[in-house]
Amino acid sequence: DGPFITLTTDPTPPRIGENHIRVQVSGLSNKELSTITVKLTYTMPMPGMVPATIPMKPGKTGSYETMVSLGMAGQWDLIVSVDRPGPPTVKASFSVMAGG
């Protein structure tokens, strides 16, 4: 029972500064895809870091994208939230290592 969420970064691995984040949502019908909203929350897993949440723009069918600025090298936790009418929000967590 979807949705299933995959995440890619450009560049891979991500770098310090601007990165293009793309999410692919699968396991939903085209009608269901037309009713969802997708958000990205990102933070570093350390005390005092405040997570930032931004909306993702729809692209091709089931694809959502955004640009994020990663302020420093190290591990970043990315949480993708898929909101749809009715069922509870689906979240998927990803960790990426940003390089210098």
Side-chain angles (χ1 to χ4, degrees), residues 5-28:
I5 301 164
T6 54
L7 181 141
T8 55
T9 64
D10 182 18
T12 301
R15 62 177 179 245
I16 297 171
E18 289 289 308
N19 293 272
H20 183 244
I21 308 293
R22 177 176 288 122
V23 167
Q24 185 68 40
V25 178
S26 56
L28 296 177

Side-chain angles (χ1 to χ4, degrees), residues 26-99:
S26 56
L28 296 177
S29 69
N30 286 344
K31 181 180 178 193
E32 289 173 305
L33 285 171
S34 70
T35 66
I36 66 174
T37 53
V38 181
K39 293 184 290 223
L40 177 70
T41 300
Y42 60 102
T43 188
M44 290 191 96
M46 60 176 61
M49 292 295 288
V50 177
T53 301
I54 54 176
M56 298 191 78
K57 296 184 186 116
K60 293 181 184 154
T61 305
S63 171
Y64 296 82
E65 30 196 271
T66 193
M67 296 294 290
V68 298
S69 182
L70 303 180
M72 62 179 82
Q75 179 179 331
W76 287 82
D77 291 340
L78 309 177
I79 300 164
V80 177
S81 302
V82 176
D83 291 313
R84 52 192 173 144
T89 297
V90 174
K91 294 186 178 187
S93 300
F94 303 88
S95 289
V96 298
M97 291 298 289

